[in-house]
Amino acid sequence: MIQAILFVIMIIGGTALLSWPLGRYITWAMDPGAGQGKPNLFTSTFQAIGGSATRQTQDWKRYVFSLLGFNVVMFVACFALLALQQYLPLNPDGRQALEGTLIFNTTSSFVANTNLQHYSGEVAMSYLSQLAALMWLQFVSAAVGLAALAALARGLAGRKLGNFFVDVQRATFLVLLPLALIVAILLLFPGVPMTFQGSAVATTLEGVQQTIARGPVAAFVAIKQLGTNGGGFFGPNSTHPLENPTFWSNVLQTISIIIIPMGCVWMFGRIIGRMKHAAVLFTVMLILMGTRITGAIGFEAAPTHAFASLPITQDVGNLEGKELRFGAAAGPVWAVVTTSTSNGSVNAMHDSLNPLTGLMPMIGMWLNEDFGGVGVGMINMFLYIVVAVFIAGMMIGRTPEFLGWRIEAKEVKFAMMGLLSHGFFILVGTAIFAVTPWGAETLNNIGPHGFSEILYEFSSAAANNGSGFEGLGDNTAAWNIATGIVMLLARFIPIILPLAIVGSLSTKRRATESSGTLSVENGTFAGMLTVTVVIVGALTFFPAATLGPIAEHVMFMK
């Protein structure tokens, strides 16, 4: 237990400290000149190349239109590359085209920053597909989220939103690319491969030839973690020894998952000029994530029921589905971190977690706000803030205000639409697939655990996460189409609605804050926000939890 505590402190505490200077750097990259008309040389060069489209200041509607148009182009380009990969270069192992619904699902997944994978990359994808389609999307889809957050923060600060195309290039070339280069180089030292040669053929000690897939893995893994993408170069993801070979590569990748989302909170605070408010938000997020990490480690200390009938002594907790080279605590910690963000990579098999341990990552995806994906996690938290401010204002009999902006019915409706749509996509999809052959015939387990597999898959798709309970046979036309649609809708609705809220606020006169104004920089607001997040999550998802992981836990207690 002491080792687990030290591991958590090293990962979470160390990353929190590193996020402070990173937040300052991201602010410099995304908001140079603090709106004073002083773009840096990089931005000026891009605007000279991009022409008038990159020099226009956009309102929220034009910003959203540009964002959606950019993603349509990304979708078409990626779909074409995957469909034609058998005719294109950088395909030394002769990979053929994927099935049509799988191409749709994969393209939707990577455009939506989800990286839900119904395929094994080393078996299905050419090097060109991995790099020019999937890895490229891992950069630009993350950049879209960071751009949207920067625009949201500028609007709340009472400024123009900026230009989407400029924000995307800033996020890509000034934030994600330099960090990915550093992490990729560091991953080479513990042995992550980086090559364009084809698969290696080795002879085992038994004299049998074995084909070992490899490729430009280090570059792919770096951005998959930093961009909260999560899509693995190999099917087993970060459990694979060529993606994550040692304890220290595991530490580096765990830090990479959470560091930019943490830095985004500080960037938000700097742009709106309210660092105390950012500290409150950071604390609330840290408490919610820390609670789930504590629960996951504690629940996973119990032996697995799968071995109960076997003559095996289990005195070190549940080791099923774990990579012991990382340490016993690494699996449950990663499971929570990867679902506190919209990352979704795995270093242990979530399907093998004890029932209540498996509930912890589900809760992370259901709440979908503590740190979250690059940019979009803070945007999702903004929806909770609007609701919390409105409720608090009604409780004390004052007109609700946030940063001087009056929160009225229109803004609350948009916020609730964003929060409730998340539950709608998860629960309706789960209900349909649980009672039809689309889901029932793809299960390897019956009863509560089978229900949990379906529930987890839709939770992962709606939260733009990408991890899964992999006992599910999800590469079918029904699963590919359903989760593909959910991923796209659940990606863009929670981005559009907060920008619409900012657009609505910008038409109002900003009030001067006084001593009677509800403070968003103290413990009272932190408690109100935490309660709002927990209540909304519990009311929406507790019934589903009782049918899945809670029912499974109770069944094993008998």
Side-chain angles (χ1 to χ4, degrees):
M1 181 59 69
I2 294 177
Q3 290 180 338
I5 294 173
L6 292 176
F7 182 76
V8 172
I9 292 174
M10 178 177 64
I11 295 294
I12 306 302
T15 309
L17 292 175
L18 291 172
S19 71
W20 176 262
L22 180 63
R24 183 184 294 272
Y25 172 77
I26 296 175
T27 305
W28 168 85
M30 296 302 299
D31 199 39
Q36 300 173 13
K38 299 177 181 178
N40 57 34
L41 178 61
F42 192 89
T43 300
S44 299
T45 303
F46 178 77
Q47 289 176 327
I49 296 172
S52 59
T54 61
R55 290 193 289 268
Q56 297 174 351
T57 300
Q58 299 171 322
D59 60 16
W60 80 269
K61 292 181 180 179
R62 290 184 178 180
Y63 202 96
V64 166
F65 181 79
S66 298
L67 185 151
L68 294 177
F70 182 75
N71 280 272
V72 169
V73 172
M74 290 198 302
F75 187 97
V76 173
C78 180
F79 194 100
L81 275 171
L82 297 183
L84 300 173
Q85 72 171 3
Q86 69 272 32
Y87 304 116
L88 299 173
L90 289 179
N91 189 10
D93 297 314
R95 307 301 184 203
Q96 297 301 305
L98 280 64
E99 184 268 332
T101 63
L102 183 56
I103 295 176
F104 168 74
N105 182 271
T106 303
T107 304
S108 301
S109 181
F110 280 79
V111 167
N113 194 239
T114 308
N115 297 22
L116 186 75
Q117 294 176 288
H118 290 174
Y119 64 92
S120 291
E122 74 275 27
V123 175
M125 298 293 179
S126 70
Y127 292 167
L128 185 67
S129 294
Q130 295 270 41
L131 296 176
L134 304 186
M135 192 177 81
W136 170 64
L137 285 178
Q138 290 186 127
F139 276 99
V140 290
S141 65
V144 166
L146 189 53
L149 175 60
L152 180 92
R154 292 190 202 109
L156 290 174
R159 294 159 44 197
K160 300 294 185 181
L161 268 62
N163 183 283
F164 170 77
F165 300 107
V166 172
D167 285 341
V168 165
Q169 64 84 21
R170 286 172 177 165
T172 303
F173 293 104
L174 296 180
V175 179
L176 296 170
L177 189 59
L179 290 176
L181 180 61
I182 293 170
V183 172
I185 292 172
L186 292 176
L187 286 173
L188 296 176
F189 290 98
V192 178
M194 183 67 194
T195 179
F196 286 101
Q197 297 181 20
S199 299
V201 178
T203 302
T204 67
L205 295 176
E206 293 82 9
V208 178
Q209 281 197 335
Q210 180 180 5
T211 301
I212 303 173
R214 55 182 178 174
V217 183
F220 197 92
V221 170
I223 188 57
K224 96 168 185 180
Q225 308 296 26
L226 287 166
T228 57
N229 296 285
F233 191 93
F234 300 100
N237 209 280
S238 291
T239 66
H240 197 288
L242 295 186
E243 277 202 32
N244 195 8
T246 69
F247 171 84
W248 291 110
S249 69
N250 187 73
V251 169
L252 175 61
Q253 292 187 44
T254 310
I255 291 173
S256 298
I257 291 172
I258 199 71
I259 190 167
I260 295 182
M262 283 185 171
C264 284
V265 180
W266 302 126
M267 181 197 79
F268 177 79
R270 291 186 184 280
I271 293 178
I272 66 173
R274 303 291 287 268
M275 292 304 294
K276 288 184 179 180
H277 178 56
V280 167
L281 299 180
F282 194 95
T283 302
V284 171
M285 293 179 177
L286 199 61
I287 289 172
L288 290 169
M289 186 178 72
T291 301
R292 293 201 305 280
I293 289 176
T294 302
I297 293 175
F299 295 137
E300 204 63 2
T304 175
H305 181 77
F307 296 162
S309 60
L310 301 177
I312 297 174
T313 300
Q314 300 187 70
D315 55 5
V316 290
N318 178 16
L319 297 181
E320 182 189 358
K322 308 293 190 305
E323 288 294 331
L324 298 185
R325 66 183 184 273
F326 302 147
V333 171
W334 184 301
V336 172
V337 169
T338 196
T339 50
S340 290
T341 67
S342 66
N343 183 272
S345 63
V346 296
N347 75 344
M349 290 298 101
H350 291 189
D351 200 39
S352 296
L353 298 173
N354 285 329
L356 293 185
T357 311
L359 179 61
M360 297 301 105
M362 286 192 197
I363 292 174
M365 294 184 291
W366 294 341
L367 300 182
N368 201 29
E369 48 62 54
D370 43 292
F371 300 115
V374 170
V376 295
M378 187 58 234
I379 292 176
N380 287 332
M381 176 57 94
F382 173 67
L383 296 176
Y384 285 105
I385 291 172
V386 171
V387 176
V389 167
F390 183 79
I391 294 174
M394 295 295 98
M395 290 175 64
I396 63 176
R398 290 183 60 89
T399 301
E401 292 181 0
F402 177 61
L403 305 181
W405 301 107
R406 182 171 295 178
I407 303 296
E408 297 177 310
K410 183 177 182 180
E411 291 78 35
V412 176
K413 287 178 182 178
F414 283 155
M416 290 307 301
M417 285 172 59
L419 295 175
L420 295 179
S421 66
H422 181 65
F424 176 84
F425 294 136
I426 295 172
L427 298 177
V428 172
T430 299
I432 293 173
F433 274 66
V435 299
T436 64
W438 292 346
E441 292 182 357
T442 61
L443 297 175
N444 286 335
N445 299 275
I446 60 174
H449 192 78
F451 179 80
S452 294
E453 291 177 347
I454 296 175
L455 178 62
Y456 195 107
E457 186 77 0
F458 276 104
S459 299
S460 182
N464 294 140
N465 186 264
S467 61
F469 270 18
E470 295 306 335
L472 186 70
D474 48 23
N475 186 15
T476 66
W479 275 115
N480 288 339
I481 294 171
T483 55
I485 293 172
V486 166
M487 285 185 286
L488 291 174
L489 293 176
R491 168 65 168 178
F492 296 110
I493 289 175
I495 291 177
I496 294 170
L497 290 175
L499 291 176
I501 292 174
V502 170
S504 175
L505 294 177
S506 66
T507 63
K508 304 177 183 181
R509 183 177 179 180
R510 193 175 186 182
T512 302
E513 296 183 59
S514 65
S515 58
T517 302
L518 174 69
S519 174
V520 294
E521 298 179 348
N522 56 28
T524 302
F525 178 75
M528 187 68 197
L529 180 59
T530 303
V531 169
T532 300
V533 171
V534 172
I535 289 179
V536 170
L539 291 176
T540 307
F541 297 107
F542 183 75
T546 60
L547 295 176
I550 295 176
E552 185 181 3
H553 174 74
V554 172
M555 182 177 66
F556 287 158
M557 290 177 62
K558 293 180 179 179

